[in-house]
């Protein structure tokens, strides 16, 4: 692939994701203060010792933002990876096997999708105990319904092609057909879908945390930080907007990359190129 | 939170709308097992076969209605069953860890948890069908009473968001198509891509900072009372409505653009062009009738989302609606309220998706004029 | 007589914008000149990619999909329509020049009635009043032989058949009384027996209305029936341009000569037809929804010979192939191979049984994994069936590449880097790699240009001589049957109409359907259409 063929918007996206990843990986090295260390008065304005000021408990906002990147990205990524693996496995199985299995999986998926994701999450999280892994699993399972739908559509698109039939006639097993015939032809759209699901997971996690149902304090995560500091808004204190902006920025960066991937995919397929 | 948006629809950044002109009902809609189910035919029997041959349109609609009812029933089972599958016991959760066994026993009886599951399910469902959702564990009030008031508030909010965002989204979508690949289209593309990445609460707080804190032209929080006049109410919901509009607009616009583009690149639009027709005539007479179905679909999908999107917006603006009620109930694990709200939200969602499908079926000339 | 349309030195380019790469400009048409007199028909013929549709659309000053006319003149009645500006061009389109597309099914708006669409241009250009236009539409429906002309206009596009739609599109083009109609492969998508009706209808309507026409097609035999002059195109340039008689009977260029003589190959059938490699006995088959597609079909194929299965779309010929491969197990009947009964379903067959029957598809594009190289594509059956790896495998792949006349340098190419004919050759090599007894060929040449198709047929014949492989050859084209078959099965609507040695099946006495089929195939002979129509009239008068 030609590096120069990547548009500026995608570079911006890559750069943003890289910064967030560096923050997440090296948080203790970068952050000037500890994650939940109280360093001063509450809601101090930015500048001086505290570049972005302090939060509702007097903790350094910048440090929490850096640590928050760690939690937010880790949980969102874990949820996306699980949802993707689950969704792809089930959808490819459904598409290749067809018949009863396909009907069963698809109908159940329809049922899962008949309930809006957020509402579903609220009901489930009301019932289940609050653990990080439960949160990740709930996010993953709910999101895998979307992956299933896309995965099945993409796989079916390829599975009806004659080269797959040719492989079947040759006597190839299901494993060969999925991994050698279908998967290589679906990588591009699936990569884009992965990005899309990741952006969605970041926003979904932030929303849950904002509603008080996601990551529990004192761990820092961006959605929770908005919730912590939202009461300052009416007093003209904008501490809540900073983590909110971080969420938005990361999601935009991911979407910029996805947008480029999608256009690339459609042009590979010989689409009309109405970008 | 825009990304919670109508993810049921086509992926927001794809160019190919899920709603093709040939099979609008195949649009990605929650429960779009419709298509497959329709073809294989869930209902057997010669009567049904004859009916669907003679009146395919009516048959499709009846099937779609039946599917929605079935889905709703299944959803009620899931919501109820999910709560039943709770690890540990409600009574313990309800009383906290320090509860004595005797107190737990009493509360179980009190809440009716000692009856068999099926009995409780049917009495709950029966009640729900009559609009009775039981009593709240937290407040000991009737759930239905609370919901009645708050549902009205939420719908009020969603309604105004809808009547502002729909024409705006369709207008902008058409504008983007008209200036395809030129500056206005590119601007709309970049802005909407950014907008679908903004969390709802972020949009909400920015609006609050700008309009309520800085300029002081809007009110925050958006509390409404029974005694409020209509105009007063309107001014109170100005900011939450604006938030919802911003959030839903980007999705709706991108999907509208994709749907119209798909029609505009079809062979029959080329035919119209080769007939020497004017641009307006081509759009009004040849593109529009075929774009209606996918666009209606887009609108209905986004409306379905809107009903759900109110949850976060209500929390941000401290607006006394269903969403806030549900979130509060979830935090204190007030199960009857959670179940009731969950069921009602799901019902709206299913209903609007069904409406989208049925309108798309109605707009399809192949189905309207069978052979 | 003054020329109606004169095109001088036409140059058309198309610019594509691959994302992230500099825009690419390709020249589609270069330096093409021709003219059409009033009331005459010019046939434009060429292979795919010859630029014939692009030229046709230039008569309407229209560029499809990024194509734009960058040089030359398009004079309509002496006036260059390229210089007219938007309004001027609009007054030409649908008024003086009309267009008939290849796929009428896509070109009609599904939301409106046919009648409305037929008269729309006449009304919008204020050529006639609504009653006049409706009267004319009715007249045209009659001329074009559409069923129930009085009510035909009240129907929606999806309510009528493909052949009727194509005629309706012709009516739509004729309705405003244009001076010129551009026909862009109007019969290509149709079955042969439908094609002849539509062709006759178009010819009749053109004569009746004295309209001039540009008739674009890839089939020289079709254009010979309808045009006064013929222009042969290749790679966007004119190869030969003359009267129909001169081009058909005395072609001056090699390329044209090849086009004229293509499909003339005939082969004598092999004599011995006693031992049966493949025996299909009383096979019926139905799809999952209970729709029966094959009714009690029996035929057989001797070793080393070719059985051609002929039929139109919907005849069940491809379904029969699916039954033989085991993709669709028959509901009744049985298939024996080399004396042993084949398990009905794919799952029940052993690796060796699978190896013995290989398949070649119509679309080589979709029949090969675009992410595998030629080496992998051809090599896989070798590894899979014979367990051969590494250098030995490569050796064998090279051998096969030689056999299909391609050579080593294709080893590491991807399918996208091959031409249509080369792809089909690789597909043949993949089938051969398994050393099968039988190869099922499902219309392997119908998506190819005639000269390329002939190359593939000759290759198949050569391979049969070398390896004694048997073919079941599914086709809709009688000329191919003549060229390659030993025995022939004619199918119609899921039933076997006729089966036997080629010489017997293709000579009288005929049953009705075979008769119709044989008479519908256009022959490279001027006046063939009239002759056929005349016999038809005589026969119907005789009845």
């Amino acid at each position: 692939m030609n590096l120069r063929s990547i548009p500026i918007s995608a570079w911006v996206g890559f750069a943003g994701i890289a910064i967030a990843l560096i923050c997440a990986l090296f948080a203790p090295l970068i952050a000037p203060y500890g994650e939940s260390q109280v360093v001063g008065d509450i809601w101090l304005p930015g500048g001086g010792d505290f570049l972005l000021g302090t939060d509702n408990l007097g903790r350094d906002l910048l440090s929490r933002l850096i640590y928050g990147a760690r939690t937010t990205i880790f949980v969102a990524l874990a949820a996306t990876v699980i949802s993707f693996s689950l969704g792809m496995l089930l959808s490819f199985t459904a598409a290749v096997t067809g018949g009863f299995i396909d009907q069963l999986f698809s109908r159940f998926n329809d049922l899962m999708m008949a309930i809006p994701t957020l509402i579903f999450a609220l009901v489930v999280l009301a019932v289940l105990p609050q653990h990080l892994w439960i949160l990740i699993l709930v996010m993953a399972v709910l999101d895998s319904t979307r992956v299933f739908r896309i995965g099945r559509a993409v796989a079916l698109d390829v599975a009806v092609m004659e080269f797959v039939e040719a492989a079947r006639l040759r006597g190839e097993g299901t494993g060969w057909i999925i991994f050698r015939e279908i998967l290589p032809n679906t990588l591009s759209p699936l990569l884009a879908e992965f990005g899309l699901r990741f952006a969605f997971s970041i926003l979904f996690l932030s929303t849950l945390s904002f509603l008080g149902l996601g990551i529990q304090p004192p761990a820092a995560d961006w959605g929770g930080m908005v919730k912590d500091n939202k009461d300052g808004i009416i007093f003209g204190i904008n501490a809540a907007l900073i983590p909110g902006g971080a969420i938005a920025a990361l999601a935009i960066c991911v979407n910029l990359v996805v947008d480029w991937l999608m256009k690339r995919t459609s042009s590979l397929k010989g689409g009309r190129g109405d970008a | 939170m825009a990304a919670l948006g109508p993810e049921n629809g086509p992926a927001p950044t794809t160019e190919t709308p899920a709603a093709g002109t040939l099979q609008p009902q195949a649009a990605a809609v929650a429960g779009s097992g419709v298509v497959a189910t329709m073809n294989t035919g869930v209902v057997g029997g010669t009567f049904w076969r004859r009916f669907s041959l003679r009146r395919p349109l009516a048959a499709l609609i009846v099937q779609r209605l039946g599917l929605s009812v079935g889905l709703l029933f299944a959803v009620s089972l899931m919501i109820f069953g999910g709560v039943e599958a709770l690890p540990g016991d409600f009574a313990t959760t309800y009383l906290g860890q320090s509860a004595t066994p005797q107190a737990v026993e009493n509360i179980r009886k009190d809440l009716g948890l000692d009856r068999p599951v099926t009995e409780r399910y049917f009495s709950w469902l029966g009640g729900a069908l009559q609009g009775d959702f039981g009593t709240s564990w937290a407040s000991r009030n009737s759930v239905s009473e609370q919901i009645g008031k708050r549902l009205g508030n939420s719908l009020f909010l969603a309604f105004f968001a809808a009547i502002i965002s729909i024409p705006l989204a369709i207008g902008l979508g058409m504008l983007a198509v008209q200036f395809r690949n030129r500056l206005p289209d590119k601007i709309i593309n970049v802005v909407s891509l950014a907008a679908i990445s903004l969390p709802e609460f972020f949009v909400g707080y920015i609006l609050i900072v700008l309009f309520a804190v800085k300029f002081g032209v809007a009110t925050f929080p958006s509390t409404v009372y029974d005694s409020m006049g209509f105009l007063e109410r309107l001014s109170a919901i100005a900011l939450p409505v604006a938030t919802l509009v911003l959030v839903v607009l980007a999705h709706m616009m991108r999907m509208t653009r994709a749907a119209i583009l798909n029609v505009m690149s079809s062979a029959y639009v080329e035919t119209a062009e080769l007939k020497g027709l004017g641009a307006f005539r081509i759009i009004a007479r040849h593109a529009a009738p075929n774009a209606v179905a996918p666009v209606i679909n887009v609108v209905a999908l986004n409306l379905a989302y809107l009903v759900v999107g109110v949850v976060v917006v209500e929390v941000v603006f401290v607006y006394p609606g269903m969403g806030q009620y549900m979130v509060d109930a979830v935090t204190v694990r007030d199960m009857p309220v959670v179940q009731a709200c969950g069921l009602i939200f799901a019902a709206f969602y299913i209903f609007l998706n069904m409406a989208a499908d049925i309108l798309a079926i109605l707009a399809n000339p192949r189905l309207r004029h069978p052979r | 007589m003054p020329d109606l349309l004169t095109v001088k030195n036409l140059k058309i380019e198309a610019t594509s914008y691959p994302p992230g790469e500099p825009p690419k400009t390709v020249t589609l048409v270069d330096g093409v000149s021709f003219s059409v007199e009033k009331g005459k028909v010019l046939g434009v013929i060429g292979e795919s990619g010859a630029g014939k549709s692009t030229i046709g659309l230039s008569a309407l000053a229209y560029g499809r999909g990024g194509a734009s006319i960058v040089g030359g003149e398009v004079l309509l009645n002496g006036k260059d329509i390229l210089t007219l500006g938007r309004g001027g061009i609009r007054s030409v389109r649908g008024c003086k020049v009309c267009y008939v597309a290849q796929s009428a099914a896509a070109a009609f708006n599904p939301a409106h009635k046919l009648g409305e669409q037929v008269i729309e241009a006449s009304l919008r250009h204020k050529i006639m009043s609504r009653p006049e236009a409706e009267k004319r539409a009715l007249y045209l429906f009659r001329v074009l032989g559409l069923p129930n002309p009085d009510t035909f206009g009240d129907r929606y596009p999806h309510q009528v058949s493909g052949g009727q739609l194509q005629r309706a599109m012709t009516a739509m083009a004729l309705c405003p009384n244009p001076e010129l109609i551009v026909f862009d492969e109007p019969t290509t998508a149709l079955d042969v027996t439908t094609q002849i009706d539509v062709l006759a209808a178009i010819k009749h309507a053109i004569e009746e209305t004295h309209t001039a026409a540009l008739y674009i097609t890839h089939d020289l035999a079709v254009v010979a029936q309808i045009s006064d002059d013929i222009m042969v195109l290749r790679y966007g340039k004119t190869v030969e341009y003359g009267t129909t008689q001169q081009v058909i009977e005395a072609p001056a260029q090699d390329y044209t000569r090849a086009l004229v003589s293509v499909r003339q190959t005939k082969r004598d059938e092999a004599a011995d037809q006693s031992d049966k490699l493949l025996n299909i006995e009383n096979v019926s088959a139905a799809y999952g929804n209970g729709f029966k597609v094959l009714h009690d079909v029996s035929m057989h194929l001797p070793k080393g010979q070719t059985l051609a299965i002929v039929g139109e779309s919907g005849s069940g010929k491809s379904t029969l192939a699916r039954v033989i491969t085991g993709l669709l197990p028959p509901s009744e009947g049985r298939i024996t191979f080399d004396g042993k009964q084949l398990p009905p379903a794919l799952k029940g067959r052993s690796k060796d049984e699978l190896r013995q029957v290989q398949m070649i598809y119509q679309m080589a594009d979709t029949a090969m994994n675009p992410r595998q190289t030629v080496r992998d594509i051809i090599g896989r059956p070798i590894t899979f069936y014979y367990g051969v790896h590494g250098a030995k495998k490569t050796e064998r792949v090279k051998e096969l590449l030689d056999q299909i006349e391609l050579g080593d340098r294709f080893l590491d190419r991807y399918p996208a880097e091959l031409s249509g004919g080369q792809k089909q050759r690789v597909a043949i090599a993949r089938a051969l790699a398994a050393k099968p007894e039988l190869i099922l060929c499902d219309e392997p040449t119908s998506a190819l240009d005639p000269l390329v198709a002939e190359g593939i047929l000759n290759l198949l014949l050569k391979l049969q001589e070398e390896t004694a492989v048997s073919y079941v050859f599914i086709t809709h084209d009688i000329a191919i049957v003549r060229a390659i078959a030993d025995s022939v099965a004619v199918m119609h609507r899921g039933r076997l109409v006729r089966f036997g040695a080629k010489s017997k099946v293709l000579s009288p006495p005929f049953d009705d359907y075979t008769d119709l089929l044989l008479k519908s195939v256009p022959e490279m002979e001027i006046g063939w259409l009239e002759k056929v129509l005349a016999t038809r009239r005589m026969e119907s008068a005789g009845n």
Side-chain angles (χ1 to χ4, degrees), chain A residues 2 4-7 161-173 176 180-182 184-188 263-264 267-268 272-273, chain C residues 18-21 322 325-327 346 351 354-355 357-359 361-372 377 380-381 384-385 430:
Chain A
N2 188 352
R4 251 182 298 168
S5 72
I6 302 174
M161 303 275 258
E162 278 156 352
F163 64 81
V164 176
E165 190 184 294
R168 259 195 204 131
L169 288 180
R170 204 184 303 140
E172 304 279 8
W176 173 280
R180 303 303 286 274
E181 305 285 350
I182 297 182
N185 288 292
T186 53
L187 277 184
S188 235
K263 278 181 193 162
R264 215 174 133 251
S267 69
L268 278 181
R272 278 167 173 265
Chain C
E21 281 171 48
R322 290 175 66 82
T325 57
L327 283 170
L346 187 63
K351 212 171 182 177
L354 292 172
R355 179 191 64 77
V357 182
Q358 295 292 313
M359 178 126 182
Y361 293 89
Q362 177 177 6
M363 307 297 287
D365 281 317
T366 53
M368 282 185 283
N369 193 333
R371 306 274 160 167
Q372 291 174 358
I377 292 169
R380 179 59 190 169
F384 185 78
Y385 292 121
R430 174 174 67 184

Side-chain angles (χ1 to χ4, degrees), chain B residues 64-94:
Chain B
R64 188 63 186 83
L65 281 170
L67 185 80
S68 298
V69 173
L71 266 181
L72 200 55
F73 181 72
V75 164
S76 78
L77 254 176
M78 279 179 86
I79 288 179
F80 189 85
V83 171
E84 282 302 315
L86 170 75
D89 192 81
F90 265 127
T92 330
T93 321
Y94 185 64

Side-chain angles (χ1 to χ4, degrees), chain B residues 32-101:
Chain B
S32 77
V34 207
V35 184
T37 330
M38 278 171 186
N39 293 342
T40 49
V42 270
V43 192
T46 47
F47 166 74
W48 180 255
R49 191 167 285 180
R50 233 181 298 142
F51 179 63
S52 55
L53 276 179
R54 209 169 298 159
R55 311 287 304 272
L57 192 63
L60 278 180
I61 292 174
V62 168
Q63 269 181 341
R64 188 63 186 83
L65 281 170
L67 185 80
S68 298
V69 173
L71 266 181
L72 200 55
F73 181 72
V75 164
S76 78
L77 254 176
M78 279 179 86
I79 288 179
F80 189 85
V83 171
E84 282 302 315
L86 170 75
D89 192 81
F90 265 127
T92 330
T93 321
Y94 185 64
L95 286 173
Q97 295 300 325
S98 56
T100 60

Side-chain angles (χ1 to χ4, degrees), chain C residues 358-360 439-444 460 471-475:
Chain C
Q358 295 292 313
M359 178 126 182
I360 303 172
I439 299 182
L440 293 174
C441 311
D442 190 357
E443 304 245 18
L460 286 172
Y471 297 127
V472 167
F473 202 102
I474 292 163
T475 181

Side-chain angles (χ1 to χ4, degrees), chain B residues 237-252:
Chain B
I237 64 163
L239 282 186
V241 164
T243 309
L244 277 176
V245 167
L246 283 178
V247 152
V248 89
L249 191 63
H251 263 121
M252 218 191 293

Side-chain angles (χ1 to χ4, degrees), chain A residues 203-236:
Chain A
L203 294 173
F204 191 51
L205 173 69
S206 304
T207 299
L208 287 177
S209 291
F210 171 74
L211 295 176
L213 300 163
I215 288 158
Q216 298 303 312
D221 94 287
W222 294 348
M225 288 169 70
V226 175
K227 178 190 165 71
D228 292 343
N229 293 299
K230 68 179 183 187
D231 295 334
I233 295 245
I234 23 174
F235 309 117

Side-chain angles (χ1 to χ4, degrees), chain C residues 341-400:
Chain C
Q341 184 171 352
L342 267 186
L346 187 63
K347 270 186 197 162
R349 297 190 183 175
S350 70
K351 212 171 182 177
D352 202 50
E353 281 167 331
L354 292 172
R355 179 191 64 77
Q356 286 170 338
V357 182
Q358 295 292 313
M359 178 126 182
I360 303 172
Y361 293 89
Q362 177 177 6
M363 307 297 287
D365 281 317
T366 53
M368 282 185 283
N369 193 333
R371 306 274 160 167
Q372 291 174 358
T373 59
V374 168
R375 182 200 297 267
D376 295 333
I377 292 169
I378 302 177
R380 179 59 190 169
I382 302 172
T383 309
F384 185 78
Y385 292 121
Y386 296 101
V388 175
H389 293 272
K392 266 187 159 177
K393 179 170 100 174
T394 308
E395 227 15 72
R396 174 86 179 110
V397 173
K398 282 184 186 165
E399 224 174 88
L400 285 161

